[in-house]
């Protein structure tokens, strides 16, 4: 392996990260809790499908392993939009939080 290969590989990862990033319309810091993992307040992020007239359900996930990747995946969001399902993502996960 040479330096050029590593540069190309790093460039590809950076491009994938740009494509994979998805917007969250709202976020709020959960000031009542402190994460033992980060010693800061966790944040909750909300996404509501574009052109959604009525939210029919909300799916909630916490930062554990792959939840953010799944929630931000274009195909997943497309299907959630068709169903009128909003998303809430909390990071860091609340099971690491003490009150």
């Amino acid at each position: 392996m040479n330096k050029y290969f590593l540069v190309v590989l790093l460039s590809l990862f950076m491009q994938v990260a740009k494509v994979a990033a998805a917007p969250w319309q709202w976020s709020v810091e959960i000031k009542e809790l402190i994460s033992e993992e980060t010693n800061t307040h966790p944040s909750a992020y909300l996404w509501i499908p574009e052109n959604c007239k009525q939210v029919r359900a909300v799916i909630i996930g916490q930062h554990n392993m792959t939840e953010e990747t799944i929630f931000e995946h274009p195909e997943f969001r497309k299907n959630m939009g068709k169903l009128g399902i909003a998303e809430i993502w909390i990071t860091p996960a609340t099971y690491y939080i003490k009150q």
Side-chain angles (χ1 to χ4, degrees), residues 13-28:
F13 283 137
M14 291 171 62
Q15 292 301 316
V16 169
K18 286 181 189 176
V19 171
W24 295 88
Q25 291 103 334
W26 294 278
S27 68
V28 64

Side-chain angles (χ1 to χ4, degrees), residues 22 24 47 59-62 66-74 76-77 87-90:
W24 295 88
W47 174 79
I59 185 170
I60 300 172
Q62 299 185 70
T66 61
E67 293 79 3
E68 181 182 14
T69 306
I70 294 168
F71 277 17
E72 291 184 347
H73 192 278
F76 185 79
R77 283 202 169 174
E87 302 172 355
I88 294 176
W89 180 61
I90 302 168

Side-chain angles (χ1 to χ4, degrees), residues 25-84:
Q25 291 103 334
W26 294 278
S27 68
V28 64
E29 191 173 75
I30 305 171
K31 295 185 182 203
E32 296 81 11
L33 303 173
I34 300 288
S35 166
E36 289 182 3
E37 181 182 5
T38 62
N39 290 323
T40 61
H41 302 289
S43 294
Y45 297 86
L46 173 66
W47 174 79
I48 296 176
E50 189 176 320
N51 301 320
C52 182
K53 296 183 192 273
Q54 179 181 3
V55 173
R56 298 178 180 270
V58 177
I59 185 170
I60 300 172
Q62 299 185 70
H63 193 156
N64 183 26
M65 292 182 71
T66 61
E67 293 79 3
E68 181 182 14
T69 306
I70 294 168
F71 277 17
E72 291 184 347
H73 192 278
E75 197 64 29
F76 185 79
R77 283 202 169 174
K78 178 181 171 185
N79 287 309
M80 294 300 102
K82 288 178 184 176
L83 297 169

